[in-house]
Amino acid sequence: MIRSIIKLFSVAFISISLTVISTVASAEITINWPSIWVGKDSKATVIRELVDEFNAANSGDITVVIEEQTDYDIYGNKLVAQIATGSLPDVFTVGADLLDIMNKSGKAMDLAPHIASDSHWNNVYPEGAFESKMMGDKLFYLPYELFVTPVTYNKKLLKAAGYDEFPDNYDDFFKMCEAVTATGKVCTSQMTGKNGWTSMLWFSQVLVSAGGPDVYKNGLDDPAFVKAFEVMEKMYKYTTSDAIGADAGVSGGHFLNERTAVFMNGPWFIARYTSDGIEGLHANIGVAPAPMLKGGKGAPGGYVGGAQSSLAAGKQSDPAKEKAVVKFLKWLTTPENVARLSYSSGAMFIVKADLPNDMDRLFTEMNNGKGNAPYVVEIYQNAIGSLAAVKEFPQAMSALALGEVTPEEAVQMLIDAE
Amino acid sequence: MQRDLSTNFYSIIKWIIIISFVFYAIFPFLWLVLASLKTNAELLDDPFKLPKVFQFKNYTDAIEAAGLGRLIINSLVISTSATFLNILFSSMVAFAIARHTFWGRNVLFLTISAGILVPLNALIIPYFAIINYLNLYDTRTGLILVYCAIGLPVSTFILTEFFKSIPKEIEEAAYLDGCNFVSRYFRIMLPLALPGLATAGTFQFILCWNEFIYAMLLTSSTDIRTIQFGISYFTNQFFSDYVGMFAAVVVSILPSITVFILFQEKVISGLTAGSVKG
Amino acid sequence: MELKKNEVIWLIIFIAPTIALFFLFFLLPILFLFVTSFTNWNGISAEFVGFENYVKLFSKKTFIRSITNNLYWCITAAFITVPLALIIALLLSHKSRGWKVFRTILFIPQVVSSAAIALMWLALFNAEYGLVNSLLDTMGFSEYKNHNWLGAIRTANVALIGFSLCYVGYFMVIMLAKTTGISQEYYDAANIDGASQFQKDVYITAPLIKSTFFLCIILAVIFNLRQFEYVFLMTAGGPANKTSVLVVYIWNELSVQRLGRGNAAGVIMIAIGAFLLIVLRKLFKSETYN
């Protein structure tokens, strides 16, 4: 009788403790990542692979769940809503427009102690990568993806106009535009729709060649801004008739269809020259730094570009979860994984990466140009420090191009946007 | 003789007007279908030329890549539930307002109708906070509740006017016969107002079906997401896979059109003018 | 109808759900909008600034232009779109051959999301390859060969408001639904008197759906005050902010994190809408039942 009671008791005890142990053991950490690198984004496939591999390597302990965000504007709104009313996601990416509010929110994870305590970060990031990003002694984001935007031009169309090389100054550039127009093609792609991306890139180039790499120090009062608008006004005389109000699809489309000879965009666009461009377009494309303005403070070969997205994490109260998040961030920043991302999408990263030899020719040219450039200055959108001035740019550009305002008044529009 | 001429003239004008507007209305849909059968390169080159080869694979690609099937089911569940609740609640209020006098009646009606004025895009942060507070983030219930609420002002406004314009005699007779409040609503008002209910219901359904901002804002997992997410799958910051998107749009339109045909057909044309008599 | 004493509870039950939802999703958020409009809230910090946001708004050219553009939208909707919808509803009420098919087709643009329609019209209006310009060119207006409809200041607003005029489906369906409820007796009597179809339309059908007509006008005005998708997707308020409307302006304010000022603009918009709503209802009061 007593024996059977003991037996019963021990069976019950063992099974209960096994259940408890397995429950505790399977207390898995879930990391939520509302990711914009999904859907048709060029990095989507590799990111998916990286997450799956991480989950497999950490199965039972950590699971990273991607929440697909396909609309960047709404993603930004959601982030602001989360900052205002709740907590930030476990892992997320931040573009230049949201860095400021995220830094000041007090809801992001401080990464400085993790960087100090682990040599991984100093090994994979170049010297001084973090200094300028720190808020006091805290660091709230990891610079990750970057880009440069040199000129991409159609060698065939330039040759037909009598130009074997891309001009290195604006006087020759506009002479070339005349010649290209004479062959029946249009010289440049421009756009004032949405955020005026292509034109904004050109604007940044002229700014830097007029005012030098420190042009943003004095803000909108720097005379370089007026100069830049003067050049842009001229450039709009050599663009397609639908440039005003056009969005990236339209302005890119013209270059892809060989209607325009000169374009400007980041390395992520390279794949499209082959997939959506006219036959043989890719082989005809050349990369060149933007022209220089006579009497400007810029140096030849100077590049313009910027930080694309940075990695960040929400504050965690559970130290185990914090560790898991940092582990995932490390996984995303290993040189091998970054090289994989670069290779498949054409994206560039601040993290050191051993790129394979068969990267796309245009990517290599851009990368080399970046390496040889005397400076790489942030684009207007990232550097001007005023969201309102960025938003007003396409309106000022269209007003200028339509003759509604003078270059000085266009700059005034940017100032008044505050 | 003279009357025949003017009748014919009227007829001719009538058909010219109808055909022009019909053409104007169907053109976007035809273009969508055409564009969805091209390649992106062809589309950027000339959006209106016929494609070299009809790219039917755009449709299979779109359905697979974005998982359109499951998204459509989500949209159906959410839209029908929200529409049902919305019509139920707004018809109840409309019945109360249109047929009874009580203290605060006008104020109630004006306040609810004033909800039509509200710019929903500006309410992102409050809605986000409220849904989170109710623990309804990333749930179908949360979206259903929000959609039902958003459409209440318009539905109430439409239904109240509809109810008001139905002659009172039948109800008054029933009232005198001792028919109570709830019976009057179910047995008399609703059947009489079926055209109005169908109309308001159709609009509400389409509102839910096409709604994008809050569908993205208040959900995160793909099993809750709606068809509009599927369409946005094909665009990103720097470019859009237009043809994939258009294929997804065409797929997403079909249920809405079907609902419209069902509702309008079954309910409205079933009622001939003669059955509603004083 | 007078309520019996024991039915008051039913009245309350009937209006309760709507009031609850309305409170949660309209009154509370509007209150929030109102309160924050007096601050300089930017998502993380807020300080009380009194009427500064409102004063600043009215000093901005773009804000004023947004209001006037909204008025253009509302006026064209009320005076052109809804009357056109009335005409089509009257014509379709004859129930001639194929009227059901036409009704469905005319409604399709409402079913297609405005994003798709906007994309299509962007392509149509495009200066380089748009159909509109090709058509005008073949008709002999060659000066329009490369005209940028949405990018030229003279024509941006006209094109933007113009193309939507003919999408009458929404209001047409509402009015058509009302006509199906008209008793056949009226028409029988008219037939005996020898009335023509035109006379029947003008003297019988139209007056009987008058209340619905005014309902549609009110809806049209209010919807156009809330106009967002078409403007945002097609011109984003440009060129040079000339086509901006209120909700686009608010959206822009919110996306540069000027949440306090954006909410103030929202409050102003609601105030304008309330004013219009009251005025219109008073105007039409004599015409509707009450």
Side-chain angles (χ1 to χ4, degrees), chain A residues 148-395:
Chain A
V148 286
T149 56
V151 173
T152 46
Y153 63 96
N154 191 319
K155 289 193 227 177
K156 188 174 79 174
L157 294 183
L158 248 64
K159 217 182 187 111
Y163 281 80
D164 281 326
E165 273 178 20
F166 191 78
D168 64 0
N169 66 76
Y170 279 106
D171 291 333
D172 288 340
F173 174 78
F174 285 119
K175 287 206 195 91
M176 181 196 78
C177 286
E178 285 287 340
V180 170
T181 321
T183 68
K185 293 286 179 184
V186 179
C187 195
T188 72
S189 276
Q190 301 288 343
M191 53 178 276
T192 67
K194 299 283 180 310
N195 57 358
W197 181 251
T198 322
S199 297
M200 192 264 303
L201 293 177
W202 273 108
F203 184 69
S204 312
Q205 297 276 13
V206 187
L207 262 181
V208 173
S209 66
D214 292 331
V215 64
Y216 294 106
K217 278 226 170 66
N218 299 325
L220 288 163
D221 293 324
D222 196 307
F225 282 89
V226 179
K227 269 243 131 257
F229 268 129
E230 280 170 13
V231 174
M232 291 308 294
E233 193 178 15
K234 222 170 165 188
M235 208 173 284
Y236 262 75
K237 301 215 190 328
Y238 299 102
T239 185
T240 52
S241 54
D242 59 6
I244 300 186
D247 67 2
V250 173
S251 76
H254 286 311
F255 186 70
L256 289 171
N257 288 317
E258 269 192 354
R259 262 201 287 269
T260 56
V262 176
F263 189 53
M264 190 176 281
N265 214 326
W268 55 76
F269 204 80
I270 295 177
R272 296 200 71 204
Y273 296 137
T274 330
S275 67
D276 293 331
I278 222 170
E279 265 317 309
L281 180 69
H282 187 274
N284 282 330
I285 296 184
V287 168
M292 282 294 119
L293 201 58
K294 216 171 253 166
K297 301 192 193 132
Y303 260 41
V304 141
Q308 179 73 317
S309 347
S310 309
L311 296 173
K315 228 187 207 157
Q316 299 291 346
S317 48
D318 174 7
K321 190 159 184 186
E322 184 162 339
K323 259 212 180 113
V325 169
V326 174
K327 190 172 186 192
F328 183 61
L329 289 176
K330 277 167 76 171
W331 173 248
L332 284 178
T333 51
T334 65
E336 300 79 32
N337 290 340
V338 167
R340 278 163 73 183
L341 278 170
S342 246
Y343 184 69
S344 75
S345 67
M348 285 181 178
F349 293 90
I350 289 187
V351 177
K352 298 183 196 159
D354 271 322
L355 294 174
N357 292 332
D358 56 342
M359 293 291 291
D360 187 292
R361 167 184 69 95
L362 293 173
F363 180 90
T364 317
E365 285 184 34
M366 282 191 190
N367 215 12
N368 290 341
K370 167 169 79 94
N372 295 334
Y375 50 71
V376 177
V377 181
E378 287 274 355
I379 55 172
Y380 170 77
Q381 192 170 282
N382 295 354
I384 194 63
S386 155
L387 287 172
V390 170
K391 192 143 241 190
E392 190 71 355
F393 173 78
Q395 308 296 345

Side-chain angles (χ1 to χ4, degrees), chain A residues 36 39-42 67-72 74 77-78 80-82 84-85 197 247-249 253 256-257 259 268-269 272 276 308, chain B residues 40-41 44-45 124-125 128-129 132 137 212-213 216-222 225 229 232-242:
Chain A
I36 53 172
K40 291 286 165 167
D41 188 283
S42 49
E67 296 168 2
E68 294 171 300
Q69 307 290 325
T70 48
D71 185 301
Y72 185 74
I74 297 193
N77 281 329
K78 206 170 187 174
V80 173
Q82 284 168 319
T85 66
W197 181 251
D247 67 2
L256 289 171
N257 288 317
R259 262 201 287 269
W268 55 76
F269 204 80
R272 296 200 71 204
D276 293 331
Q308 179 73 317
Chain B
N40 270 313
L44 288 173
D45 185 32
I124 289 179
I125 293 186
F128 189 74
N132 270 318
Y137 179 71
F212 179 62
I213 295 181
M216 293 294 292
L217 196 77
L218 302 175
T219 66
S220 47
S221 31
T222 335
R225 284 219 156 128
F229 162 75
S232 75
Y233 185 86
F234 297 95
T235 69
N236 72 15
Q237 266 180 293
F238 296 105
F239 91 106
S240 312
D241 176 8
Y242 288 116

Side-chain angles (χ1 to χ4, degrees), chain A residues 67-115:
Chain A
E67 296 168 2
E68 294 171 300
Q69 307 290 325
T70 48
D71 185 301
Y72 185 74
D73 283 331
I74 297 193
Y75 169 69
N77 281 329
K78 206 170 187 174
L79 222 53
V80 173
Q82 284 168 319
I83 289 177
T85 66
S87 54
L88 284 171
D90 297 329
V91 168
F92 58 100
T93 55
V94 215
D97 50 340
L98 294 165
L99 275 178
D100 196 45
I101 191 175
M102 186 203 66
N103 267 337
K104 300 199 183 125
S105 68
K107 301 194 173 170
M109 187 194 286
D110 180 15
L111 298 162
H114 295 284
I115 293 185

